[in-house]
Amino acid sequence: MANLSGWRYAGFLGGIVSLIGVALYPIVVYPYFHAEEYKDMQKKTRDGINQEEIQPGGMKVWTNPFEKKTKS
């Protein structure tokens, strides 16, 4: 195998970093900057589903533990 040095080594490393960036963009970056689009999609797909009925093992549906509790 050829010994990479100088600009060839930099090009090789740059290519690897670029490939990783291209692979991660649709998985990490796009959803991060377009969260509203994914929230709307989730609302449409979960429309008409009662979480209480499909919750396994009679477990409580998830609630935000950091939300301030209201007295009812």
Side-chain angles (χ1 to χ4, degrees):
M1 188 159 159
N3 190 9
L4 297 177
S5 63
W7 67 271
R8 289 184 180 150
Y9 182 71
F12 178 72
L13 286 181
I16 290 175
V17 170
S18 297
L19 284 174
I20 293 171
V22 167
L24 288 179
Y25 179 79
I27 300 167
V28 177
V29 178
Y30 186 82
Y32 180 76
F33 288 111
H34 298 92
E36 289 301 319
E37 181 180 334
Y38 285 90
K39 286 179 184 178
D40 293 341
M41 191 183 321
Q42 195 174 52
K43 283 180 188 175
K44 289 177 187 174
T45 57
R46 292 183 178 183
D47 190 31
I49 296 175
N50 185 1
Q51 285 185 332
E52 297 287 339
E53 291 176 0
I54 62 171
Q55 191 70 13
M59 294 169 38
K60 183 178 145 187
V61 175
W62 185 86
T63 56
N64 188 352
F66 301 107
E67 204 171 69
K68 288 190 174 185
K69 308 240 188 255
T70 58
K71 292 184 179 182
S72 20

